[in-house]
Amino acid sequence: MLPFISAMKPHRTELYQDVPSTCWPIVYSPDYNITFMGLEKLHPFDAGKWGKVIDFLKEEKLVVDDLIVQAREATEDDLLVVHTRRYLNKLKAGKLAVDRGWAINVGGGFHHCSSDKGGGFCAYADITLAIKFLFERVQGVSKATIIDLDAHQGNGHERDFMDDSRVYIMDAYNRYIYPGDGFAKRAIKRKVELEWGTEDTEYLQKVQTHVEGALNELKPDIIVYNAGTDILDGDPLGGLAISPQGIVKRDEVVFKAARSRRIPILMVTSGGYQKRTARIIADSILNLHNLGLIDKELATSGVENPKVEQMLRNSVADLSKLSLQ
Ligand SMILES: [Zn+2]
């Protein structure tokens, strides 16, 4: 599933570079705002969702363009197509999460995609790749926890990490909808199967219990949080009934659990494409900021040991040597 990566000839690139500490660890590229790969078949698609999230955050004066981490314009030599650029953003976001303690990729979270199979609609396994990249390229990262709270089961990364004891997977999803992948379920350490129409109180209680439980069971070096918003009431495919406030609260619960344990967290926004979705994601990011759970200062880094932190900051990944398989 990685032909475009293996085929990349070694070459110089500036796509992966040190991100100035004045930047928010929020990764976004206007490339996100297109339909692609049949994604719209599974999720009714608000093609502009990701751009709108950023617009809302700008309106609220949380971010300005220069302080968001963007994909650099690709040179011809980079052989980059849109998908590759998205992929690079994901790697960048993973590294940023380790450096800063948190990062949000406004986009990403294609969790039905496994690295050997398209998974129906996913072009590539971005969560798998982000974790493998961190394992292989960033010292000090050898255990990861995936917290997948999209309405759908995340069978892609589950198949990828089936026999990998370095990765702990918690997944909460509507048990009756796509993909119902029984084989992949074997990889889930904490399985939270939800009924049709599950509402805030029950949902949040389960999320809290199992996120805390998962992190108490194993303290990872990185959390990848798949924050799908297709749990929202009215989503035609998710079949759950969580309110906008419930989603904001859910993200808060996850970030509190991660930050209080000083575990770096990478959030991806995944599914959920109703008209009001972008506003909810923006509100959630603003709420995290208001509560002091995210800040752009390096002082809030999740890395406790300053020497380790310095080492991480110095270990800029060299894309020209990249050969994830
Ligand atoms: Zn979904």
Side-chain angles (χ1 to χ4, degrees):
M1 194 48 219
L2 304 174
F4 63 85
I5 296 164
S6 345
M8 278 169 75
K9 289 189 186 122
H11 64 284
R12 284 186 55 78
T13 178
E14 295 184 354
L15 279 161
Y16 196 95
Q17 57 170 9
D18 257 328
V19 173
S21 60
T22 49
C23 273
W24 285 89
I26 294 177
V27 178
Y28 165 74
S29 159
D31 292 338
Y32 290 170
N33 296 297
I34 56 167
T35 59
F36 85 120
M37 307 297 168
L39 181 66
E40 66 279 11
K41 286 179 199 152
L42 187 66
H43 291 288
F45 201 77
D46 176 358
K49 173 173 107 170
W50 300 298
K52 284 179 200 157
V53 172
I54 295 297
D55 287 344
F56 286 135
L57 293 178
K58 283 191 217 162
E59 268 173 39
E60 303 284 345
K61 311 261 186 288
L62 183 74
V63 299
V64 294
D65 269 333
D66 288 349
L67 297 182
I68 299 170
V69 181
Q70 296 212 27
R72 297 170 69 95
E73 207 53 51
T75 65
E76 197 129 318
D77 192 37
D78 281 324
L79 303 172
L80 288 176
V81 292
V82 168
H83 314 132
T84 316
R85 208 150 43 212
R86 290 171 188 237
Y87 159 79
L88 294 174
N89 273 339
K90 174 48 64 81
L91 299 186
K92 195 184 281 182
K95 175 78 165 42
L96 268 172
V98 172
D99 288 351
R100 304 291 188 86
W102 68 277
I104 296 171
N105 185 12
V106 182
F110 303 109
H111 63 156
H112 302 299
C113 191
S114 73
S115 47
D116 59 349
K117 190 162 158 270
F121 81 107
C122 280
Y124 64 103
D126 65 336
I127 292 173
T128 299
L129 289 173
I131 291 173
K132 287 192 171 173
F133 176 81
L134 289 171
F135 282 169
E136 290 171 21
R137 300 284 157 180
V138 180
Q139 277 186 292
V141 180
S142 60
K143 285 176 296 180
T145 291
I146 298 170
I147 296 176
D148 193 336
L149 303 185
D150 185 276
H152 298 85
Q153 181 201 348
N155 60 326
H157 56 74
E158 285 155 16
R159 283 174 172 262
D160 284 337
F161 294 119
M162 180 68 72
D163 298 310
D164 194 331
S165 59
R166 298 172 299 176
V167 180
Y168 184 108
I169 297 172
M170 171 190 159
D171 197 349
Y173 51 87
N174 182 337
R175 68 196 304 168
Y176 302 109
I177 61 173
Y178 178 90
D181 187 337
F183 176 73
K185 284 180 187 178
R186 289 165 36 193
I188 306 174
K189 296 279 194 316
R190 274 190 187 249
K191 187 168 58 180
V192 185
E193 298 204 312
L194 303 166
E195 300 295 323
W196 291 113
T198 299
E199 295 179 357
D200 288 14
T201 309
E202 182 191 347
Y203 180 74
L204 290 170
Q205 188 258 318
K206 285 186 169 164
V207 166
Q208 172 111 40
T209 302
H210 291 286
V211 167
E212 296 280 338
L215 298 178
N216 289 341
E217 211 170 303
L218 176 98
K219 187 179 177 188
D221 303 309
I222 179 84
I223 293 167
V224 177
Y225 170 35
N226 197 25
T229 44
D230 52 3
I231 60 167
L232 181 64
D233 187 30
D235 187 282
L237 295 161
L240 303 172
I242 309 305
S243 71
Q245 299 79 4
I247 289 175
V248 170
K249 187 72 191 169
R250 174 196 66 171
D251 295 347
E252 183 186 316
V253 165
V254 175
F255 268 75
K256 268 186 182 157
R259 304 292 276 147
S260 66
R261 291 170 175 79
R262 301 179 68 85
I263 304 168
I265 178 168
L266 166 61
M267 169 172 153
V268 297
T269 59
S270 196
Y273 300 95
Q274 295 187 58
K275 284 268 179 285
R276 55 195 178 137
T277 301
R279 181 72 246 182
I280 296 168
I281 295 171
D283 283 345
S284 180
I285 293 172
L286 291 163
N287 179 58
L288 294 174
H289 181 244
N290 290 338
L291 293 172
L293 290 166
I294 60 173
D295 212 316
K296 73 172 153 56
E297 303 309 319
L298 281 166
T300 59
S301 165
V303 181
E304 289 175 53
N305 182 333
K307 276 187 184 165
V308 174
E309 175 164 321
Q310 191 55 48
M311 183 190 69
L312 286 170
R313 294 188 60 194
N314 292 339
S315 69
V316 179
D318 183 352
L319 248 180
S320 65
K321 291 180 197 151
L322 187 63
S323 60
L324 289 171
Q325 294 298 333

